Amino acid sequence: MCGRAKLPDDVSEIKLDLKIDFDEIGAYQPRWNAAPTTKLPVVVAWNGRRTLTAMRWGLVPGTTQSWAQARKIGHSTINARAESIDTRPAFRSAWTAGRRCLVIADGYYEWRDADKQPFAIALANRGPMTMAGLWETWTAPDGAVVKSFAIITTVANELLQPLHGRMPVILAPEHWAGWFGETAAHETELKAMLKPFPGAGMAFWPVDRRIGNVRNDSPDLFAPHA
């Protein structure tokens, strides 16, 4: 499960690392408590160009009929389980069509199952995470075009198991080209990428319970809290 994220202070580093060809975001705003239905930085490969864009968190399938239905669906489709992305109706079309993306974050938050204590989770080197995702484009009845995504999750690694049984799929750089479809990758190879990131490369620490309120959004939320 991944339901809150910490976004980078800026995206200049990830634009260089990912060799971004086009930036659609413009004026970027960092977030320390990004929640579902808000927009997060996402990288897609459109027409052979890696593009940094912003998409709504909570995938809205293209067959959605109304805004009310879109809001309802979006809250239940923030995460896509790796084990069922090719069979669950909400995600099957995006997976089959190859609408794959990378969701950019510095870390995310998880609540420990035992006592609901929140923890911040990041890479050990505090570098940006590139989380595997699926995206869709939906046209609302009023003509508005909504681009949305879901983060793909898998079983938690040995480090994070004490907190929660699931974690986002974090893709290493050697998998980016295959994930974007820039190099040939069979479906079995793509699914093989959807595995837990090694625990040795990650870290976590307790944070203030104020993270539970989406109205709180400040740098101190990501800091260790006794």
Side-chain angles (χ1 to χ4, degrees):
M1 180 66 179
C2 176
R4 297 289 175 82
K6 192 270 186 189
L7 304 187
D9 293 340
D10 66 73
V11 291
S12 56
E13 179 182 352
I14 199 66
K15 286 167 67 174
L16 291 174
D17 290 346
L18 270 156
K19 297 180 173 60
I20 298 299
D21 297 304
F22 189 64
D23 181 359
E24 290 185 338
I25 291 182
Y28 172 78
Q29 292 292 325
R31 296 287 301 275
W32 296 271
N33 191 14
T37 74
T38 59
K39 289 186 175 182
L40 273 62
V42 173
V43 179
V44 295
W46 284 333
N47 300 320
R49 300 192 304 173
R50 292 186 182 182
T51 301
L52 179 67
T53 188
M55 291 190 183
R56 185 180 189 271
W57 188 3
L59 187 142
V60 179
T63 55
T64 302
Q65 300 299 310
S66 67
W67 268 112
Q69 185 185 18
R71 293 188 182 96
K72 181 179 180 181
I73 292 173
H75 281 286
S76 63
T77 54
I78 63 172
N79 296 148
R81 295 174 70 94
E83 300 88 341
S84 58
I85 52 174
D86 58 345
T87 58
R88 186 177 171 188
F91 307 119
R92 185 171 55 210
S93 293
W95 174 259
T96 301
R99 288 189 284 272
R100 301 184 295 271
C101 63
L102 291 177
V103 183
I104 308 303
D106 272 355
Y108 67 100
Y109 301 96
E110 194 60 83
W111 279 255
R112 184 164 55 195
D113 289 332
D115 57 3
K116 302 308 177 184
Q117 167 64 45
F119 287 82
I121 301 170
L123 296 184
N125 64 7
R126 302 300 189 271
M129 287 181 173
T130 47
M131 298 185 285
L134 297 174
W135 66 275
E136 280 279 13
T137 297
W138 172 65
T139 302
D142 63 1
V145 176
V146 178
K147 296 175 183 176
S148 62
F149 71 91
I151 295 172
I152 301 175
T153 67
T154 186
V155 294
N157 59 33
E158 72 284 357
L159 176 73
L160 302 179
Q161 277 288 345
L163 301 183
H164 196 276
R166 307 288 298 181
M167 67 177 292
V169 172
I170 302 169
L171 294 182
E174 60 265 27
H175 296 310
W176 293 346
W179 186 248
F180 285 137
E182 296 166 342
T183 59
H186 191 271
E187 183 171 345
T188 55
E189 295 175 281
L190 293 170
K191 287 186 175 180
M193 298 178 189
L194 307 180
K195 60 185 180 181
F197 194 84
M202 302 187 72
F204 68 90
W205 56 91
V207 295
D208 196 303
R209 292 181 184 271
R210 292 185 302 116
I211 197 69
N213 188 333
V214 297
R215 289 189 290 262
N216 296 325
D217 190 21
S218 56
D220 60 298
L221 294 174
F222 199 61
H225 184 79

